[in-house]
């Protein structure tokens, strides 16, 4: 009896132990979907986050999501997606399964968008005092390009992206707020998934191809990109240290979408044709240009669960080029994996591989340049030739081009590994660690045969020992290490976001050139050359620093940003202490004030925000310039010592101090938006490669001597003209002014950064960096040259104003995209006209009475205004209704686009393609300043007519 009672008691206790916790801690599942409030379309990849539990999920391709094991209760659910307003909504979980639909609106102002660049981790744009441009996946899909610089060109309102050549894989000029340095590139720092990558345009050792140098930017894969963020300097780039004065570009790849694996296949086919708009002679295009086939195939996949997601993409692109001797083959692979390692730890890794092969023509007045041969006048006035003579000329040109080769092969691997931690039990405390690599190998092959020498008339028939070949290889390895801790909290009306972290970047650069002279035809080995030479280039740079950032808010109306970075770099002199870069920013959201809300209807003025900031960023000096070095050179079979780098133990980075003040204003429920920013920047301790006095026996040396000032007004606007369920039309436009001047040259003599002896690009006090200087002739009414103004200011390549224009229009299943950009107030040098003058061809700008004058005195004649408006892209897409392929695919879209569609210009040459051909100007040797300005025997970017089909499975 007693035993039976004990058994019943134990059974009852066991039942209670099992059932009571469930009675007090019941849990349910939250399911639902997220749709676009305008047209009810489901949105994939939207983040659903439960604030109280620090847990979340993402929508699948059908806009659906599931979050399990949620204890009963009421929670704040945050719904966020790039390009849409963040939605915070309370949801009560009181049953085993709760379903809800979230409707989110497009964020035309973008103040609720989460921004990483400028604060170290995600923070709402409305809390930032700096201008940040974002390019979303939606925008990327509307721009059918394969190069990063082309994407930026179509979408950056406050920066210039100028193609320096129409040859594939060549460098572009990227410039934001003027030229802040006289010795370093204007290219921003570039990150992919938190890892700094090589952004070099032009390297120390490269083939002598007339200036169309290769670019590390051109082969950065654009596959699988989720979004791009760009900040242009000042307070936004302080945390990135001693090489971020030109701004920062951050690229984020897709992390996959929860749900069953979804595939996308895209096929593109079309034609590339040479642009004839800027040719002096139409016959040049007839001889050289022929349409080339372009084809590309892309496959991507995405899927996963709440615990892990994955994304993959691969592509193959072939381009026959628009001349018989240009073209490219390119293969890209990229994958991203994200997995929950523990309840408080998530790992994300991305891997990218690119293989590119380019073949290119020579540029400028190289003996192997067919374009320069025809346009530069060496072939004579081809416009006066008859059909038979032109046929002979065409046969001659293609004959010598068959005897030369200029090719490049590139292999690039990038990887990023990221760990995110929620540091429990402290709510709002998180940590992040990143480690990654960027490895790039490039190999250039260059040769011409004896037959080429004979064909060009440089050697007699029968020559067998004047062939030439060279190989140039470059290995770049970049390492990134970064860690930070973030604490986000709110108390009453106050909120705070604190970031503390450290970064280390290490770049190893190895370059080798091997040349062989006097080689017989048919060999590809330098071992068969009668004479060989070799040279190499080695550079290792380490940059490391610590930063602390604070973003403090009150009532979502007032915000203050504070930050500081302490930085060191191996390029600094031995006497240079740790460099300090502070920043401060203030934001006032006037439209959040009660007096504003009570008196001004939101459908009149939706948003009014005032912001201002101060920040310091830097550019570190060329490595080893601080060392006193001797130069060892061969002489009569032995070594000889000469003065090398004079060195400066006090050499330090130049620092760019930026002040900004701006406002953001939107009307009619954000359908009309304006943003205005005035900035002024001053680069102190500016590095000048200034010459010493001749009596010292020393050449030029890098010194902290000068001051460079830039200022301007940045205006951008967008207009939602139509917004209905079936149709939408939006317009955008930007206008930017720029004033740039060397305010102080440190008592150094003017020095050239490129150009020619009779017309150069100079640095001097009172003028922009790289202004054109040369003799300027004065003619009387009869055409006689009566005077010459020596070393006159002939203009500069920096525009006084520039901007872009765009339209996005959608009607039911149709979408139209048009992009354009423009500049005014800049000048350029028509070097091709100079070459034609050398060849004795008539130049209408030189009066007949002065044709016999020295070209040294005629320099000013060949400087022209380079105003232009270029329509970069016209694209039309059509989404086929699902009833035509139901059961076969989830979606099918067809599209057609024209790139580089229309050109309107003031000059007699392409005003954009002014960076190649001149050492020190445009795309310069490694790390050098680039301002462009010299149009020199270079193809314009070609037109592409492309059709594409996209199928989602």
């Amino acid at each position: 009896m007693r035993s039976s009672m004990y058994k019943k008691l134990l059974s009852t206790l066991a039942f209670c132990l099992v059932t009571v916790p469930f009675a007090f801690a019941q849990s349910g599942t939250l399911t639902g979907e997220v749709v676009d409030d305008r047209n009810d379309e489901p949105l994939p990849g939207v983040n659903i986050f439960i604030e109280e539990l620090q847990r979340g999920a993402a929508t699948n391709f059908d806009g659906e999501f599931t979050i399990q094991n949620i204890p009963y209760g009421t929670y704040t659910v945050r719904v966020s997606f790039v390009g849409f307003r963040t939605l915070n909504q309370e949801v009560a979980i009181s049953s085993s399964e709760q379903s809800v639909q979230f409707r989110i609106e497009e964020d035309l102002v973008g103040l609720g968008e989460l921004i990483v660049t400028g604060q170290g981790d995600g923070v709402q744009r409305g809390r930032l005092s700096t201008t940040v441009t974002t390019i979303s996946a939606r925008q990327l899909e509307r721009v059918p390009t394969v190069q990063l610089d082309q994407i930026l060109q179509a979408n950056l309102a406050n920066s210039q992206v100028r193609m320096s050549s129409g040859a594939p894989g060549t460098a572009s000029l990227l410039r934001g707020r003027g030229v802040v340095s006289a010795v370093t590139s204007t290219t921003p720092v570039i990150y992919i998934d938190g890892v700094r990558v090589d952004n070099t345009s032009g390297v120390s050792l490269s083939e002598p191809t007339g200036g169309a140098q290769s670019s590390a930017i051109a082969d950065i894969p654009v596959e699988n990109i989720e979004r791009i963020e760009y900040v242009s300097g000042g307070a936004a780039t302080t945390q990135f240290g001693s090489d971020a004065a030109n701004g920062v570009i951050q690229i984020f790849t897709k992390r996959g979408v929860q749900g069953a694996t979804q595939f996308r296949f895209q096929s593109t086919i079309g034609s590339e044709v040479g642009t004839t708009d800027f040719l002096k002679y139409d016959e040049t295009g007839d001889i050289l240009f022929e349409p080339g086939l372009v084809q590309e195939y892309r496959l991507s996949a995405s899927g996963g669960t709440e615990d892990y997601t994955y994304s993959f993409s691969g592509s193959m692109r072939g381009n026959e080029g628009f001349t018989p001797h240009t073209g490219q083959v390119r293969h890209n692979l990229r994958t991203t994996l994200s997995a929950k390692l523990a309840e408080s730890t998530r790992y994300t890794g991305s891997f990218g591989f690119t293989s590119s092969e380019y073949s290119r023509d020579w540029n400028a007045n190289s003996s192997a340049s067919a374009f320069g041969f025809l346009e530069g006048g060496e072939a004579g006035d081809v416009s006066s030739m008859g059909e038979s003579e032109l046929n002979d000329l065409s046969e001659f040109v293609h004959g010598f081009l068959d005897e030369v080769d200029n090719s490049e092969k590139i292999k690039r691997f990038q990887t990023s590994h990221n760990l995110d931690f929620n540091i429990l039990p402290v709510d709002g405390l998180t940590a992040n660690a990143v480690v990654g690599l960027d490895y790039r190998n490039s190999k250039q092959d260059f040769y011409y045969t004896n037959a080429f020498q004979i064909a060009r008339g440089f050697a007699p028939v029968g020559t067998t020992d004047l062939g030439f070949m060279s190989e140039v290889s470059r290995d770049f390895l970049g390492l990134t290490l970064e860690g930070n801790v973030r604490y986000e909290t709110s108390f009453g009306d106050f909120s705070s976001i604190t970031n503390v972290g450290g970064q280390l970047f290490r770049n190893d650069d190895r370059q080798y050139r091997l040349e062989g002279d006097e080689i017989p035809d048919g060999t590809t080995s330098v071992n068969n050359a009668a004479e060989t030479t070799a040279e190499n280039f080695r550079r290792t740079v380490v940059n490391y620093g610590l930063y602390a950032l604070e973003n403090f808010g009150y009532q979502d109306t007032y915000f203050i940003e504070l930050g500081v970075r302490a930085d060191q770099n191996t390029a600094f002199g031995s006497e240079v202490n740790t460099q300090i870069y502070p920043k401060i920013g203030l934001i006032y959201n006037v439209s959040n004030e009660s007096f504003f809300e009570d008196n001004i209807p939101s459908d009149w003025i939706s948003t009014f925000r005032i912001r201002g900031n101060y920040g310091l960023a830097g550019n570190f000096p060329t490595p080893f310039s601080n060392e006193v070095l001797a130069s060892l050179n061969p002489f009569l079979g032995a070594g000889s010592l000469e003065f090398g780098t004079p060195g400066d133990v006090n050499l330090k980075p130049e620092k760019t101090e930026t002040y900004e003040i701006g406002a953001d204003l939107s009307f009619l429920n954000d359908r009309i938006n304006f943003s205005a920013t005035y900035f002024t920047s001053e680069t102190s301790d500016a590095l000048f490669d200034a010459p010493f006095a001749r009596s010292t026996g020393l050449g030029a040396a890098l010194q902290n001597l000068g001051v460079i000032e830039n200022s301007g007004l940045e205006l951008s606007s967008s207009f939602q003209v139509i917004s209905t369920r079936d149709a939408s039309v939006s317009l955008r436009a930007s206008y930017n002014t720029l004033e740039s001047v060397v305010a102080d040259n440190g008592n150094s003599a003017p020095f050239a950064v490129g150009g020619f002896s009779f017309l150069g690009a100079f640095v001097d006090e009172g003028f922009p960096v790289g202004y054109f200087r040369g003799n300027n002739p004065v003619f009387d009414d009869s055409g006689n040259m009566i005077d010459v103004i020596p070393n006159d200011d002939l203009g500069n390549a920096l525009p006084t104003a520039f901007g872009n224009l765009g339209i996005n229009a959608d009607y039911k299943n149709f979408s139209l995209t048009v992009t354009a950009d423009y500049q005014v107030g800049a000048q350029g040098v028509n070097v091709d006209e100079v070459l034609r003058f050398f060849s004795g061809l008539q130049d209408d700008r030189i009066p007949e009475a002065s044709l016999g004058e020295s070209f040294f005195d005629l320099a000013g004649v060949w400087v022209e205004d380079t105003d232009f408006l270029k329509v970069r892209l016209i694209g039309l897409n059509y989404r086929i209704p699902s009833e035509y392929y139901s059961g076969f695919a989830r979606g099918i879209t067809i599209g057609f686009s024209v790139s580089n569609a229309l050109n309107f210009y003031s000059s007699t040459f392409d005003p954009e393609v002014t960076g190649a051909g001149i050492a020190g100007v445009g795309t310069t040797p490694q790390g050098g300043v680039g301002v462009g300005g010299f149009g020199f025997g270079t193809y314009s970017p070609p037109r592409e007519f492309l059709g594409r089909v996209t199928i989602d499975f």
Side-chain angles (χ1 to χ4, degrees):
M1 182 79 177
R2 182 175 296 180
S3 175
S4 175
M5 184 177 66
Y6 282 138
K7 287 181 180 180
K8 289 181 180 180
L9 181 61
L10 290 173
S11 297
T12 303
L13 180 60
F15 176 79
C16 291
L17 289 174
V18 173
T19 60
V20 169
F22 285 98
F24 288 94
Q26 290 178 290
S27 64
T29 298
L30 178 63
T31 65
E33 65 173 351
V34 181
V35 299
D36 186 333
D37 186 61
R38 183 177 68 85
N39 53 23
D40 292 329
E41 287 189 1
L43 297 172
V46 179
N47 291 311
I48 315 297
F49 191 74
I50 301 176
E51 298 278 3
E52 291 83 355
L53 302 180
Q54 293 291 296
R55 290 175 51 207
T59 58
N60 60 21
F61 281 96
D62 297 317
E64 300 169 342
F65 69 92
T66 299
I67 305 177
Q68 299 176 332
N69 300 321
I70 305 174
Y72 282 3
T74 301
Y75 301 94
T76 300
V77 179
R78 186 178 71 214
V79 184
S80 60
F81 189 48
V82 175
F84 285 77
R85 291 181 178 177
T86 298
L87 174 68
N88 291 290
Q89 182 172 319
E90 284 194 351
V91 175
I93 306 297
S94 57
S95 60
S96 60
E97 183 170 322
Q98 182 80 21
S99 182
V100 64
Q101 183 189 69
F102 295 113
R103 306 179 66 86
I104 58 176
E105 299 177 346
E106 187 174 0
D107 188 1
L108 302 176
V109 181
L111 297 183
E113 184 178 359
L114 292 180
I115 302 298
V116 172
T117 311
Q119 189 62 29
D121 206 342
V123 62
Q124 287 187 330
R125 183 197 297 270
R127 300 180 70 107
L128 297 176
S129 63
T130 53
T131 302
V132 182
T133 302
T134 58
I135 305 172
S136 68
R138 279 188 163 190
Q139 292 171 281
L140 294 171
E141 289 181 357
R142 303 181 78 115
V143 183
T145 56
V146 294
Q147 285 192 193
L148 177 62
D149 45 10
Q150 294 171 335
I151 291 174
L152 300 176
Q153 186 179 59
N155 289 283
L156 295 187
N158 305 123
S159 294
Q160 286 189 295
V161 182
R162 299 288 174 257
M163 305 300 173
S164 67
S165 168
T170 50
S172 301
L173 295 175
L174 278 67
R175 182 169 54 227
R177 295 177 168 179
V179 178
V180 301
S181 172
V183 297
T184 60
S185 167
T186 60
T187 303
V189 173
I190 300 176
Y191 285 80
I192 298 179
D193 290 334
V195 175
R196 191 173 295 202
V197 299
D198 185 22
N199 63 345
T200 304
S201 295
V203 296
S204 182
L205 301 181
S206 61
E207 296 295 357
T209 59
Q213 297 170 325
S214 297
S215 168
I217 299 173
D219 55 61
I220 291 177
V222 299
E223 310 293 337
N224 227 21
I225 292 180
E226 177 69 29
R227 76 182 191 278
I228 299 174
E229 296 178 1
Y230 169 71
V231 294
S232 52
T237 60
T238 291
Q239 76 186 74
F240 297 96
S242 293
D243 60 343
N246 291 311
V248 176
I249 295 171
Q250 291 239 42
I251 300 171
F252 304 89
T253 60
K254 296 178 180 178
R255 296 192 176 189
V257 175
Q258 292 181 22
T261 303
Q262 307 280 353
F263 293 92
R264 167 172 286 189
F265 174 75
Q266 185 178 84
S267 175
T268 302
I269 191 167
S271 179
E272 185 176 79
V273 299
T275 301
T276 60
D277 300 19
F278 307 100
L279 297 179
K280 174 70 173 180
Y281 306 115
D282 293 336
E283 292 77 8
T284 298
D286 297 336
I287 293 173
L288 292 180
F289 295 165
E290 60 182 46
L293 176 67
V294 178
Q295 53 185 329
E296 182 180 26
Y297 305 95
R298 293 185 180 184
L299 178 65
S300 60
S302 177
T305 68
E306 184 180 348
D307 293 329
Y308 69 90
T309 60
Y310 52 87
S311 177
F312 164 84
S313 68
S315 71
M316 301 181 293
R317 180 181 176 89
N319 180 357
E320 294 181 351
F322 56 95
T323 78
H325 304 279
T326 62
Q328 63 173 306
V329 176
R330 182 170 177 169
H331 299 83
N332 284 338
L333 294 172
R334 180 165 288 276
T335 184
T336 303
L337 305 171
S338 182
K340 184 191 293 184
L341 303 182
E343 191 62 34
S344 61
T345 306
R346 176 168 285 274
Y347 162 79
T348 302
S350 66
F351 308 83
F353 175 76
T354 299
S355 173
S356 304
E357 297 183 21
Y358 302 109
S359 58
R360 306 186 184 112
D361 277 352
W362 275 256
N363 293 269
N365 59 346
S366 164
S367 61
S369 170
F371 187 81
F373 176 74
L374 296 171
E375 286 290 289
E378 187 178 350
D381 183 357
V382 297
S383 64
S384 63
M385 295 181 180
E387 183 178 355
S388 176
E389 195 174 3
L390 285 173
N391 288 336
D392 291 342
L393 178 61
S394 178
E395 184 177 350
F396 169 74
V397 169
H398 287 283
F400 78 69
L401 284 178
D402 289 338
E403 301 299 330
V404 295
D405 179 71
N406 175 25
S407 61
E408 182 171 13
K409 296 180 180 179
I410 297 170
K411 299 290 188 293
R412 188 165 193 167
F413 174 74
Q414 298 163 340
T415 183
S416 169
H417 303 273
N418 188 306
L419 285 173
D420 290 300
F421 306 92
N422 287 325
I423 303 177
L424 302 176
V426 180
D427 187 26
L429 184 62
T430 60
N432 172 268
V434 179
V435 59
L437 294 173
D438 177 33
Y439 172 74
R440 183 177 188 269
N441 169 264
S442 62
K443 182 176 179 294
Q444 292 177 291
D445 291 302
F446 167 76
Y447 74 81
Y448 58 79
T449 66
N450 291 282
F452 167 78
Q453 296 279 59
I454 295 170
R456 290 290 276 120
F458 302 146
V461 175
T463 297
T464 61
D465 59 355
L466 289 180
F468 173 83
M469 68 173 295
S470 73
E471 293 182 0
V472 177
S473 64
R474 177 177 184 250
D475 286 292
F476 173 90
L477 179 63
L479 169 68
T480 298
L481 297 173
E482 180 173 359
N484 70 71
V485 176
R486 170 189 172 105
Y487 181 59
E488 183 173 357
T489 187
S490 60
F491 39 94
D493 291 332
F494 297 91
S495 63
S496 172
I497 302 175
T498 305
N499 272 285
V500 178
Q503 298 170 323
L504 182 145
F505 313 109
R506 187 181 192 273
N507 295 337
D508 287 296
D509 197 344
R510 303 289 184 265
Q511 301 173 34
Y512 305 91
R513 183 206 295 273
L514 185 64
E515 294 183 352
D517 282 304
E518 300 180 20
I519 61 173
D521 288 349
T523 184
T524 57
S525 173
V526 74
N527 296 329
N528 297 320
E531 182 179 347
T532 61
T533 58
E535 59 180 317
N536 69 342
F537 170 93
R538 294 188 175 185
R539 176 179 292 175
T540 299
V541 181
V542 179
N543 190 75
Y544 49 93
L546 301 173
Y547 63 85
L549 306 168
E550 172 63 37
N551 189 294
F552 191 78
Y554 175 67
Q555 292 185 339
D556 201 30
T557 301
Y558 308 93
F559 297 95
I560 182 170
E561 293 182 277
L562 299 170
V564 65
R565 177 180 172 112
D567 213 41
Q568 269 290 350
N569 191 286
T570 54
F572 298 170
S574 59
E575 300 298 319
V576 177
N577 297 322
T578 299
Q579 300 297 292
I580 304 298
Y581 300 96
K583 77 169 185 179
I584 183 172
L586 300 171
I587 306 100
Y588 178 28
N589 290 329
V590 182
S591 53
N592 284 1
E593 292 279 17
S594 57
F595 70 81
F596 192 96
E597 295 174 340
D598 293 342
N599 294 283
I600 301 178
S602 61
D603 56 354
W604 289 9
I605 301 180
S606 316
T607 305
F608 179 34
R609 190 172 78 115
I610 301 172
R611 49 188 166 76
N613 62 66
Y614 161 83
L616 196 63
N619 277 318
F620 60 77
T622 303
F624 309 123
S625 297
N626 57 309
E627 303 288 346
V628 179
L629 301 176
S631 178
L632 182 62
N633 299 306
F635 180 72
L636 299 178
S640 65
L641 284 171
E642 298 178 359
F643 285 119
T645 303
D648 182 357
V649 295
N650 296 306
L651 202 63
K652 56 188 174 182
E654 49 192 6
K655 291 187 175 181
T656 301
E657 189 177 45
T658 302
Y659 293 89
E660 293 180 28
I661 186 170
D664 303 300
L665 192 63
S666 63
F667 302 89
L668 305 179
N669 291 320
D670 295 341
R671 294 183 63 175
I672 300 176
N673 302 285
F674 294 97
S675 178
T677 302
Y678 176 77
F679 75 91
T680 177
S681 69
E682 180 180 280
T683 302
S684 58
D685 294 321
L687 295 162
F688 283 1
D689 198 20
F692 283 94
R694 294 181 182 270
S695 59
T696 64
L698 301 174
L702 207 59
Q703 304 170 68
N704 294 107
L705 293 177
V707 175
I708 301 172
E709 294 178 352
N710 289 276
S711 61
L713 180 65
E714 300 172 340
L715 301 174
S716 60
S717 60
S718 65
F719 307 86
Q720 192 77 21
V721 181
I722 299 174
S723 181
T724 67
R725 180 182 179 85
D726 291 333
S728 68
V729 177
S730 61
L731 308 176
R732 59 182 173 84
S734 69
Y735 177 80
N736 307 275
T737 66
L738 177 64
E739 294 184 16
S740 183
V741 66
V742 177
D744 186 353
N745 66 356
N747 295 319
S748 70
F751 61 95
V753 292
F756 303 94
S757 59
F758 77 102
L759 204 172
F762 276 78
V763 175
D764 194 11
E765 188 171 308
F767 302 95
V769 171
Y771 82 101
F772 304 129
R773 190 176 83 159
N775 293 341
N776 202 3
V778 179
F779 303 102
D780 63 16
D781 294 339
S782 300
N784 296 300
M785 189 169 66
I786 58 175
D787 194 12
V788 175
I789 304 174
N791 296 324
D792 196 15
D793 171 17
L794 302 179
N796 75 92
L798 300 179
T800 56
F802 63 91
N804 62 17
L805 307 166
I807 178 171
N808 289 337
D810 298 286
Y811 177 70
K812 293 186 176 179
N813 291 353
F814 289 93
S815 64
L816 172 70
T817 300
V818 180
T819 65
D821 63 345
Y822 65 90
Q823 74 172 28
V824 295
Q827 287 77 43
V829 181
N830 191 341
V831 183
D832 289 334
E833 200 66 70
V834 179
L835 297 179
R836 288 191 283 269
F837 177 79
F838 289 164
S839 297
L841 301 181
Q842 177 63 40
D843 187 340
D844 295 336
R845 286 168 295 190
I846 302 176
E848 187 173 351
S850 298
L851 286 178
E853 300 292 344
S854 168
F855 73 90
F856 282 99
D857 294 332
L858 296 172
V861 168
W862 293 300
V863 179
E864 305 178 20
D865 290 335
T866 54
D867 304 337
F868 70 77
L869 168 66
K870 291 193 173 188
V871 179
R872 301 292 184 177
L873 174 73
I874 302 175
L876 180 65
N877 293 321
Y878 175 67
R879 189 174 65 255
I880 299 175
S882 59
E883 57 262 29
Y884 292 104
Y885 51 83
S886 179
F888 167 69
R890 293 186 305 106
I892 299 178
T893 302
I894 59 175
F896 177 77
S897 65
V898 182
S899 300
N900 300 311
L902 298 169
N903 298 306
F904 306 93
Y905 47 93
S906 63
S907 55
T908 59
F909 62 100
D910 190 340
E912 178 184 18
V913 182
T914 57
I918 312 294
V921 176
T923 52
T924 64
Q926 192 152 340
V929 63
V931 296
F934 289 81
F936 195 9
T938 307
Y939 295 118
S940 298
R943 289 191 174 96
E944 285 190 338
F945 300 87
L946 301 176
R948 73 188 57 81
V949 177
T950 303
I951 306 175
D952 292 309
F953 298 97

